[in-house]
Amino acid sequence: NGSIVYDGQGFLRVPGVKVTVVDTVGAGDSFGAAFLFSLLSGLTPKESGLFANQVGAFVASQPGAVPEYSSIFKQQIKIIKK
């Protein structure tokens, strides 16, 4: 269903990514790590939410808690650039 982020002025709904769920282990941790990484890298809270949703969805669509990030996945991740 996506996520909700706070941008300092209010809460924003960030759309999720539809995937076929294979294994949810690690998806939340991946989401949190991706969100913090992108936020600390200078993306806005909304952009960070979009990035984190993509990473969490990818992990949930793969078996195991730490799937290999293939070159195809790296190309599919869409980070909104300023």
Coordinates of all heavy atoms in Angstrom, one line a residue:
N1 N 0.8 -1.2 0.0 CA 0.0 0.0 0.0 C 0.8 1.3 0.0 O 0.3 2.3 0.1 CB -0.9 0.0 1.2 CG -2.0 -1.1 1.1 OD1 -2.4 -1.5 0.0 ND2 -2.4 -1.6 2.3
G2 N 2.1 1.1 0.0 CA 3.0 2.3 0.0 C 3.4 2.7 1.4 O 3.5 1.8 2.3
S3 N 3.8 3.9 1.6 CA 4.2 4.4 2.9 C 3.8 5.8 3.1 O 3.2 6.5 2.2 CB 5.8 4.3 2.9 OG 6.3 5.1 1.9
I4 N 3.9 6.2 4.4 CA 3.6 7.6 4.7 C 4.8 8.2 5.3 O 5.5 7.6 6.2 CB 2.4 7.6 5.7 CG1 1.2 7.1 5.1 CG2 2.2 9.1 6.2 CD1 0.0 6.9 6.0
V5 N 5.2 9.4 4.8 CA 6.4 10.0 5.3 C 6.1 11.4 5.8 O 5.1 12.0 5.4 CB 7.5 10.1 4.2 CG1 7.9 8.7 3.8 CG2 7.1 10.9 3.0
Y6 N 6.9 12.0 6.7 CA 6.7 13.3 7.2 C 7.8 14.2 6.6 O 9.0 13.8 6.6 CB 6.8 13.3 8.7 CG 6.5 14.6 9.3 CD1 5.2 15.2 9.4 CD2 7.5 15.4 9.9 CE1 5.0 16.4 10.0 CE2 7.3 16.6 10.5 CZ 6.0 17.1 10.5 OH 5.8 18.3 11.1
D7 N 7.4 15.3 6.0 CA 8.4 16.2 5.4 C 8.7 17.5 6.2 O 9.3 18.4 5.6 CB 7.9 16.5 4.0 CG 6.7 17.5 3.9 OD1 6.1 17.8 5.0 OD2 6.3 17.9 2.8
G8 N 8.3 17.5 7.4 CA 8.5 18.7 8.2 C 7.3 19.6 8.3 O 7.2 20.5 9.2
Q9 N 6.4 19.5 7.3 CA 5.2 20.3 7.3 C 4.0 19.5 7.4 O 2.9 20.0 7.8 CB 5.2 21.1 6.0 CG 6.3 22.1 6.0 CD 6.3 22.9 4.7 OE1 5.4 22.9 3.9 NE2 7.4 23.7 4.5
G10 N 4.0 18.2 7.0 CA 2.9 17.4 7.0 C 3.2 16.0 6.6 O 4.4 15.7 6.2
F11 N 2.2 15.1 6.6 CA 2.4 13.7 6.2 C 2.0 13.6 4.7 O 1.1 14.2 4.3 CB 1.5 12.8 7.1 CG 2.0 12.7 8.5 CD1 1.4 13.5 9.5 CD2 3.0 11.8 8.9 CE1 1.9 13.5 10.8 CE2 3.5 11.8 10.2 CZ 2.9 12.6 11.1
L12 N 2.8 12.8 4.0 CA 2.6 12.5 2.6 C 2.5 11.0 2.4 O 3.2 10.2 2.9 CB 3.8 13.0 1.8 CG 4.2 14.5 2.0 CD1 5.6 14.7 1.3 CD2 3.2 15.4 1.4
R13 N 1.5 10.7 1.5 CA 1.4 9.3 1.1 C 2.2 9.0 -0.1 O 2.2 9.8 -1.1 CB -0.1 9.0 0.8 CG -0.3 7.5 0.4 CD -1.7 7.2 0.2 NE -2.4 7.0 1.5 CZ -2.3 6.0 2.3 NH1 -1.6 4.9 1.9 NH2 -3.0 5.9 3.4
V14 N 3.1 8.0 0.0 CA 4.0 7.6 -1.1 C 3.5 6.3 -1.7 O 3.4 5.3 -0.9 CB 5.4 7.5 -0.6 CG1 6.4 7.2 -1.8 CG2 5.9 8.8 0.1
P15 N 3.2 6.3 -3.0 CA 2.6 5.0 -3.6 C 3.6 3.9 -3.5 O 4.8 4.0 -3.6 CB 2.3 5.4 -5.0 CG 3.2 6.6 -5.3 CD 3.4 7.3 -4.0
G16 N 3.0 2.7 -3.3 CA 3.8 1.5 -3.3 C 4.1 0.9 -4.7 O 3.7 1.5 -5.7
V17 N 4.8 -0.2 -4.7 CA 5.1 -0.9 -5.9 C 4.5 -2.3 -5.8 O 4.7 -3.0 -4.9 CB 6.7 -1.0 -6.0 CG1 7.0 -1.8 -7.2 CG2 7.3 0.3 -6.0
K18 N 3.7 -2.7 -6.9 CA 3.1 -4.0 -6.9 C 4.1 -5.0 -7.3 O 4.7 -4.9 -8.3 CB 1.9 -4.0 -7.8 CG 0.8 -3.1 -7.3 CD -0.5 -3.3 -8.1 CE -1.5 -2.4 -7.5 NZ -2.9 -2.9 -7.7
V19 N 4.2 -6.1 -6.5 CA 5.1 -7.2 -6.8 C 4.4 -8.5 -6.3 O 3.5 -8.4 -5.5 CB 6.5 -7.1 -6.1 CG1 7.2 -5.9 -6.6 CG2 6.3 -7.1 -4.6
T20 N 4.8 -9.6 -6.9 CA 4.4 -10.9 -6.3 C 5.3 -11.2 -5.2 O 6.5 -11.3 -5.3 CB 4.6 -12.0 -7.4 OG1 3.7 -11.6 -8.5 CG2 4.2 -13.3 -6.9
V21 N 4.7 -11.3 -4.0 CA 5.5 -11.5 -2.8 C 6.0 -13.0 -2.7 O 5.2 -13.9 -2.8 CB 4.7 -11.1 -1.5 CG1 5.5 -11.4 -0.2 CG2 4.3 -9.7 -1.6
V22 N 7.3 -13.1 -2.5 CA 7.9 -14.4 -2.3 C 8.3 -14.7 -0.9 O 8.1 -15.7 -0.3 CB 9.1 -14.6 -3.3 CG1 9.9 -15.9 -3.0 CG2 8.7 -14.5 -4.7
D23 N 8.9 -13.6 -0.3 CA 9.5 -13.8 1.1 C 9.6 -12.4 1.7 O 10.3 -11.5 1.1 CB 10.9 -14.4 1.0 CG 11.5 -14.8 2.4 OD1 10.9 -14.3 3.4 OD2 12.5 -15.5 2.4
T24 N 8.9 -12.1 2.8 CA 8.9 -10.8 3.4 C 10.1 -10.5 4.3 O 10.3 -9.4 4.7 CB 7.6 -10.5 4.1 OG1 7.4 -11.4 5.2 CG2 6.4 -10.5 3.2
V25 N 10.8 -11.6 4.6 CA 12.0 -11.4 5.6 C 13.0 -10.4 5.0 O 13.4 -10.6 3.8 CB 12.6 -12.8 5.9 CG1 13.9 -12.6 6.7 CG2 11.6 -13.7 6.6
G26 N 13.3 -9.4 5.7 CA 14.3 -8.4 5.2 C 13.7 -7.2 4.5 O 14.4 -6.2 4.3
A27 N 12.4 -7.3 4.1 CA 11.8 -6.2 3.3 C 11.7 -4.9 4.1 O 12.0 -3.8 3.6 CB 10.4 -6.6 2.8
G28 N 11.3 -5.0 5.4 CA 11.2 -3.8 6.2 C 12.5 -3.2 6.6 O 12.7 -2.0 6.5
D29 N 13.5 -4.1 6.8 CA 14.9 -3.6 7.1 C 15.4 -2.9 5.9 O 16.1 -1.9 6.0 CB 15.8 -4.8 7.5 CG 15.4 -5.4 8.9 OD1 14.8 -4.6 9.7 OD2 15.6 -6.6 9.0
S30 N 15.2 -3.5 4.7 CA 15.7 -2.9 3.5 C 15.0 -1.6 3.2 O 15.7 -0.6 2.8 CB 15.4 -3.9 2.3 OG 16.1 -5.1 2.5
F31 N 13.7 -1.5 3.5 CA 13.0 -0.2 3.3 C 13.6 0.8 4.2 O 14.0 1.9 3.8 CB 11.5 -0.4 3.7 CG 10.8 0.9 3.7 CD1 10.2 1.4 2.6 CD2 10.7 1.6 4.9 CE1 9.5 2.6 2.6 CE2 10.1 2.9 5.0 CZ 9.5 3.4 3.8
G32 N 13.8 0.5 5.5 CA 14.4 1.5 6.4 C 15.8 1.9 6.0 O 16.1 3.1 6.1
A33 N 16.6 1.0 5.6 CA 18.0 1.3 5.2 C 18.0 2.2 4.0 O 18.7 3.2 3.9 CB 18.8 0.0 5.0
A34 N 17.2 1.8 3.0 CA 17.1 2.6 1.8 C 16.6 4.0 2.0 O 17.0 5.0 1.4 CB 16.2 1.9 0.7
F35 N 15.6 4.1 2.9 CA 15.0 5.4 3.2 C 16.1 6.3 3.9 O 16.3 7.5 3.5 CB 13.8 5.3 4.2 CG 13.1 6.6 4.4 CD1 12.2 7.1 3.5 CD2 13.4 7.3 5.6 CE1 11.6 8.4 3.8 CE2 12.8 8.6 5.8 CZ 11.9 9.1 4.9
L36 N 16.7 5.8 4.9 CA 17.8 6.6 5.6 C 18.9 7.0 4.7 O 19.4 8.1 4.7 CB 18.3 5.9 6.8 CG 17.3 5.8 8.0 CD1 17.8 4.9 9.1 CD2 16.9 7.2 8.5
F37 N 19.4 6.0 3.9 CA 20.5 6.2 2.9 C 20.1 7.4 2.0 O 20.9 8.3 1.8 CB 20.8 5.0 2.2 CG 21.8 5.2 1.0 CD1 23.1 5.4 1.2 CD2 21.3 5.3 -0.3 CE1 24.0 5.7 0.2 CE2 22.2 5.6 -1.3 CZ 23.5 5.8 -1.1
S38 N 18.9 7.3 1.4 CA 18.6 8.3 0.4 C 18.3 9.7 1.0 O 18.7 10.7 0.5 CB 17.4 7.8 -0.5 OG 16.3 7.5 0.4
L39 N 17.7 9.7 2.2 CA 17.5 10.9 2.9 C 18.8 11.6 3.3 O 19.0 12.8 3.0 CB 16.6 10.7 4.1 CG 16.0 11.9 4.8 CD1 15.0 12.6 3.9 CD2 15.3 11.5 6.1
L40 N 19.7 10.8 3.8 CA 21.0 11.4 4.2 C 21.9 11.7 2.9 O 22.8 12.5 3.0 CB 21.8 10.4 5.1 CG 21.2 10.2 6.4 CD1 21.9 9.0 7.2 CD2 21.2 11.4 7.2
S41 N 21.5 11.2 1.8 CA 22.2 11.5 0.5 C 21.6 12.8 -0.1 O 22.1 13.2 -1.2 CB 22.1 10.3 -0.5 OG 22.8 9.2 0.1
G42 N 20.6 13.4 0.5 CA 20.1 14.6 -0.1 C 18.7 14.6 -0.7 O 18.2 15.6 -1.2
L43 N 18.1 13.4 -0.9 CA 16.8 13.3 -1.5 C 15.8 13.8 -0.5 O 16.0 13.8 0.7 CB 16.5 11.9 -1.9 CG 17.3 11.3 -3.0 CD1 16.8 9.8 -3.3 CD2 17.3 12.1 -4.2
T44 N 14.6 14.3 -1.0 CA 13.5 14.8 -0.1 C 12.9 13.6 0.6 O 13.1 12.4 0.1 CB 12.5 15.5 -0.9 OG1 11.8 14.5 -1.8 CG2 13.1 16.6 -1.7
P45 N 12.1 13.8 1.6 CA 11.4 12.7 2.2 C 10.5 11.9 1.3 O 10.5 10.7 1.3 CB 10.6 13.3 3.3 CG 11.4 14.5 3.7 CD 12.0 15.0 2.4
K46 N 9.8 12.6 0.4 CA 9.0 11.9 -0.6 C 9.8 11.1 -1.6 O 9.5 9.9 -1.9 CB 8.1 12.9 -1.4 CG 7.2 12.2 -2.3 CD 6.2 13.1 -2.9 CE 5.2 12.3 -3.8 NZ 4.1 13.1 -4.3
E47 N 10.9 11.6 -2.1 CA 11.8 10.9 -3.0 C 12.4 9.7 -2.3 O 12.5 8.6 -2.8 CB 12.9 11.8 -3.5 CG 12.5 12.9 -4.4 CD 13.5 14.0 -4.7 OE1 14.4 14.1 -3.9 OE2 13.4 14.7 -5.7
S48 N 12.8 9.9 -1.0 CA 13.3 8.8 -0.2 C 12.3 7.7 0.0 O 12.6 6.5 -0.1 CB 13.8 9.3 1.1 OG 14.9 10.2 1.0
G49 N 11.0 8.1 0.2 CA 10.0 7.1 0.3 C 9.8 6.3 -1.0 O 9.6 5.1 -0.9
L50 N 9.8 7.0 -2.1 CA 9.7 6.3 -3.4 C 10.8 5.3 -3.6 O 10.6 4.1 -4.0 CB 9.7 7.3 -4.6 CG 8.5 8.1 -4.7 CD1 8.8 9.3 -5.7 CD2 7.3 7.3 -5.2
F51 N 12.1 5.7 -3.3 CA 13.2 4.8 -3.4 C 13.1 3.6 -2.4 O 13.3 2.5 -2.8 CB 14.5 5.6 -3.1 CG 15.7 4.8 -3.1 CD1 16.2 4.2 -4.3 CD2 16.5 4.5 -2.0 CE1 17.4 3.5 -4.4 CE2 17.6 3.8 -2.0 CZ 18.1 3.2 -3.2
A52 N 12.8 3.9 -1.2 CA 12.6 2.8 -0.2 C 11.5 1.9 -0.5 O 11.7 0.6 -0.3 CB 12.4 3.5 1.2
N53 N 10.4 2.4 -1.1 CA 9.3 1.5 -1.5 C 9.8 0.5 -2.6 O 9.5 -0.7 -2.6 CB 8.1 2.3 -2.0 CG 7.3 2.9 -0.9 OD1 7.5 2.6 0.3 ND2 6.4 3.8 -1.2
Q54 N 10.6 1.0 -3.5 CA 11.1 0.2 -4.6 C 12.1 -0.9 -4.1 O 12.0 -2.1 -4.4 CB 11.8 1.0 -5.7 CG 10.9 1.9 -6.5 CD 11.6 2.7 -7.5 OE1 12.7 3.2 -7.2 NE2 11.0 3.0 -8.6
V55 N 12.9 -0.5 -3.2 CA 13.9 -1.5 -2.6 C 13.2 -2.5 -1.7 O 13.4 -3.7 -1.9 CB 15.0 -0.8 -1.8 CG1 15.9 -1.8 -1.1 CG2 15.8 0.1 -2.7
G56 N 12.2 -2.1 -0.9 CA 11.5 -3.0 -0.1 C 10.7 -4.0 -0.9 O 10.6 -5.2 -0.6
A57 N 10.1 -3.5 -2.0 CA 9.3 -4.4 -2.8 C 10.1 -5.4 -3.5 O 9.8 -6.5 -3.7 CB 8.5 -3.5 -3.9
F58 N 11.3 -5.0 -4.0 CA 12.2 -5.9 -4.6 C 12.6 -7.0 -3.7 O 12.6 -8.2 -4.0 CB 13.5 -5.2 -5.1 CG 14.5 -6.1 -5.6 CD1 14.4 -6.8 -6.8 CD2 15.6 -6.4 -4.8 CE1 15.4 -7.7 -7.3 CE2 16.6 -7.3 -5.2 CZ 16.5 -7.9 -6.5
V59 N 13.0 -6.7 -2.5 CA 13.4 -7.7 -1.5 C 12.2 -8.6 -1.2 O 12.4 -9.9 -1.1 CB 13.9 -7.0 -0.2 CG1 14.2 -8.1 0.9 CG2 15.2 -6.3 -0.5
A60 N 11.0 -8.1 -1.1 CA 9.9 -9.0 -0.8 C 9.6 -9.9 -2.0 O 8.9 -11.0 -1.8 CB 8.6 -8.1 -0.5
S61 N 10.0 -9.6 -3.2 CA 9.7 -10.4 -4.4 C 10.8 -11.4 -4.6 O 10.7 -12.2 -5.6 CB 9.6 -9.5 -5.6 OG 10.9 -9.0 -6.0
Q62 N 11.8 -11.5 -3.7 CA 12.9 -12.4 -3.9 C 13.0 -13.4 -2.7 O 12.6 -13.0 -1.6 CB 14.2 -11.7 -4.0 CG 14.3 -10.7 -5.1 CD 14.2 -11.3 -6.5 OE1 14.9 -12.2 -6.8 NE2 13.2 -10.8 -7.3
P63 N 13.5 -14.6 -2.9 CA 13.7 -15.5 -1.8 C 14.9 -15.1 -0.9 O 15.9 -14.6 -1.4 CB 13.9 -16.9 -2.4 CG 14.5 -16.6 -3.8 CD 13.8 -15.2 -4.2
G64 N 14.7 -15.2 0.4 CA 15.8 -14.9 1.3 C 15.8 -13.4 1.7 O 15.2 -12.6 1.1
A65 N 16.4 -13.1 2.8 CA 16.4 -11.8 3.4 C 17.4 -10.9 2.7 O 17.3 -9.6 2.8 CB 16.8 -11.9 4.9
V66 N 18.4 -11.4 2.0 CA 19.4 -10.6 1.4 C 19.6 -11.0 0.0 O 20.6 -11.7 -0.4 CB 20.8 -10.6 2.2 CG1 21.8 -9.6 1.6 CG2 20.6 -10.3 3.7
P67 N 18.7 -10.7 -0.9 CA 18.8 -11.1 -2.3 C 19.9 -10.4 -3.0 O 20.3 -9.3 -2.6 CB 17.5 -10.8 -2.9 CG 17.0 -9.7 -2.1 CD 17.5 -9.9 -0.7
E68 N 20.4 -11.0 -4.1 CA 21.4 -10.3 -4.9 C 20.8 -9.2 -5.7 O 19.7 -9.4 -6.3 CB 22.1 -11.3 -5.9 CG 23.2 -10.7 -6.7 CD 23.9 -11.7 -7.6 OE1 23.8 -12.9 -7.4 OE2 24.5 -11.2 -8.6
Y69 N 21.4 -8.0 -5.7 CA 20.9 -6.9 -6.5 C 21.5 -6.9 -7.9 O 22.6 -6.5 -8.1 CB 21.2 -5.6 -5.8 CG 20.5 -5.4 -4.5 CD1 21.0 -5.8 -3.3 CD2 19.2 -4.8 -4.5 CE1 20.3 -5.7 -2.1 CE2 18.5 -4.6 -3.3 CZ 19.0 -5.0 -2.1 OH 18.3 -4.9 -1.0
S70 N 20.7 -7.5 -8.8 CA 21.2 -7.7 -10.1 C 21.3 -6.4 -10.9 O 20.8 -5.3 -10.5 CB 20.3 -8.6 -10.9 OG 19.0 -8.0 -11.1
S71 N 22.0 -6.4 -12.0 CA 22.1 -5.2 -12.8 C 20.8 -4.8 -13.3 O 20.5 -3.6 -13.5 CB 23.1 -5.4 -14.0 OG 22.7 -6.5 -14.8
I72 N 19.9 -5.7 -13.6 CA 18.5 -5.4 -14.0 C 17.8 -4.6 -13.0 O 17.1 -3.6 -13.2 CB 17.8 -6.7 -14.4 CG1 18.4 -7.4 -15.6 CG2 16.3 -6.4 -14.7 CD1 17.9 -8.7 -16.0
F73 N 17.9 -5.1 -11.7 CA 17.2 -4.4 -10.6 C 17.8 -3.0 -10.5 O 17.1 -2.0 -10.3 CB 17.3 -5.1 -9.3 CG 16.9 -4.3 -8.1 CD1 15.5 -4.0 -8.0 CD2 17.8 -3.8 -7.2 CE1 15.1 -3.3 -6.9 CE2 17.3 -3.1 -6.2 CZ 16.0 -2.8 -6.0
K74 N 19.1 -2.8 -10.6 CA 19.7 -1.5 -10.4 C 19.2 -0.6 -11.5 O 19.0 0.6 -11.2 CB 21.2 -1.7 -10.5 CG 21.8 -2.4 -9.3 CD 23.3 -2.6 -9.4 CE 23.8 -3.4 -8.3 NZ 25.3 -3.8 -8.5
Q75 N 18.9 -1.1 -12.7 CA 18.4 -0.2 -13.7 C 16.9 0.1 -13.5 O 16.4 1.2 -13.9 CB 18.5 -0.9 -15.1 CG 19.9 -1.1 -15.6 CD 20.1 -1.9 -16.8 OE1 19.1 -2.5 -17.3 NE2 21.3 -2.0 -17.3
Q76 N 16.2 -0.8 -12.8 CA 14.8 -0.5 -12.5 C 14.5 0.5 -11.4 O 13.5 1.1 -11.4 CB 14.1 -1.8 -12.2 CG 14.0 -2.8 -13.4 CD 13.4 -4.1 -13.0 OE1 13.4 -4.5 -11.8 NE2 13.0 -4.9 -13.9
I77 N 15.5 0.6 -10.5 CA 15.3 1.6 -9.4 C 15.3 3.0 -10.0 O 16.2 3.4 -10.7 CB 16.4 1.5 -8.4 CG1 16.3 0.1 -7.7 CG2 16.3 2.6 -7.4 CD1 17.4 -0.1 -6.7
K78 N 14.2 3.7 -9.7 CA 14.1 5.1 -10.3 C 14.2 6.1 -9.1 O 13.3 6.3 -8.3 CB 12.8 5.3 -11.0 CG 12.6 4.3 -12.1 CD 11.2 4.4 -12.7 CE 11.1 3.4 -13.8 NZ 10.1 2.4 -13.6
I79 N 15.4 6.7 -9.1 CA 15.6 7.8 -8.1 C 15.3 9.1 -8.7 O 15.8 9.4 -9.8 CB 17.0 7.8 -7.5 CG1 17.4 6.4 -6.9 CG2 17.2 8.9 -6.5 CD1 18.8 6.3 -6.5
I80 N 14.4 9.9 -8.1 CA 14.0 11.2 -8.6 C 15.2 12.1 -8.4 O 15.6 12.3 -7.2 CB 12.8 11.7 -8.0 CG1 11.6 10.7 -8.3 CG2 12.4 13.1 -8.5 CD1 10.4 11.0 -7.5
K81 N 15.7 12.7 -9.4 CA 16.9 13.6 -9.2 C 16.4 15.0 -9.2 O 15.5 15.4 -9.8 CB 17.9 13.4 -10.4 CG 18.4 12.0 -10.4 CD 19.5 11.9 -11.4 CE 20.0 10.4 -11.3 NZ 21.3 10.2 -11.7
K82 N 17.1 15.8 -8.4 CA 16.8 17.2 -8.2 C 17.2 18.0 -9.4 O 18.1 17.7 -10.1 CB 17.4 17.7 -6.9 CG 16.8 17.1 -5.7 CD 17.5 17.7 -4.5 CE 16.9 17.0 -3.3 NZ 17.4 17.6 -2.0

